[in-house]
Structures are given as structure tokens and as C-alpha cells.
Amino acid sequence: MLVFVLVAGAILTFAFILVKIRHEKMKVDEAMFWFFLALALVILSVFPQIAFFFSNLLDIESPSNFVFLCVIAILVVRGFYLTMELSSLKKKVAELAQDCALRDLRDRES
């Protein structure tokens, strides 16, 4: 039963992402992350032996704890990369604003 719920949740996630792409609220390259994360969760729900194997290998008490650990780690890394991208974009916006201000100043002086 749980496998069906997880697969249904992943299918709904895929559909939600496709709707967001279709309405141009999300770019395809950014959506790929969410597609792969949903696919990975489907694979883990259909083949729970994977989680059991890695939880035993890493001496983690419960396979669900292993899955939570992996998801949290992936989201933390994703958040770090998004923070780096945001910092870069803020720098570019500041440079563009300064460039526009200098152009306006030159136009007024002319």
C-alpha cells in the first residue's frame, strides 16, 4: 500500500512540475532536479532493498533514517548551490544598477 502512495505522490509531483513548466513558471533545467529526486524516491519505494542495503552498510539503525538523511543532504547541497547562484545574481543586479545610474548621469550632463 505504501509503495502505491509513494508512486502516486511521485506522479503528482511530475504532473505539478510539468504544469509549472507549461505555464513558464519554472525552467526545464531547474525542473530536472525535482524530476530526478522524485524518480529516486520512486526507485527507493519500489526497491526498498536499496535502502536496507545502504543503511546496513553505513550502520544506520533504520532504512527510513537513511532515506531521510539522503534527502536532507541532497536538499542542503541544493540550497547551497542556490545561495551561490543568488549571490551571483545580486552582484550582477548591483552592477547593472550602477551602470544604469552612470549612463543616466552622463545623459544629464550632455
Side-chain angles (χ1 to χ4, degrees):
M1 179 66 181
L2 180 62
V3 173
F4 295 117
V5 171
L6 292 174
V7 171
I11 290 170
L12 289 174
T13 301
F14 284 128
F16 181 74
I17 293 169
L18 288 174
V19 167
K20 291 298 180 186
I21 291 171
R22 186 183 228 172
H23 293 291
E24 298 179 5
K25 296 193 181 214
M26 183 181 283
K27 294 190 323 187
V28 174
D29 59 336
E30 295 169 354
M32 293 307 294
F33 169 78
W34 297 107
F35 281 137
F36 285 126
L37 185 63
L39 181 65
L41 292 176
V42 168
I43 290 171
L44 281 174
S45 67
V46 173
F47 303 107
Q49 308 91 311
I50 297 169
F52 279 96
F53 172 77
F54 283 109
S55 65
N56 287 334
L57 183 71
L58 299 173
D59 199 29
I60 297 174
E61 191 169 325
S62 170
S64 62
N65 290 346
F66 168 75
V67 172
F68 287 135
L69 176 69
C70 289
V71 168
I72 290 169
I74 289 168
L75 292 176
V76 165
V77 170
R78 176 73 173 164
F80 176 74
Y81 281 111
L82 288 175
T83 301
M84 287 178 23
E85 185 177 347
L86 180 64
S87 295
S88 173
L89 291 173
K90 281 183 177 182
K91 181 181 176 185
K92 288 179 182 179
V93 166
E95 290 172 358
L96 285 171
Q98 291 169 357
D99 188 44
C100 288
L102 287 173
R103 285 184 187 175
D104 287 345
L105 181 63
R106 280 189 226 130
D107 289 344
R108 284 187 211 146
E109 291 176 351
S110 305

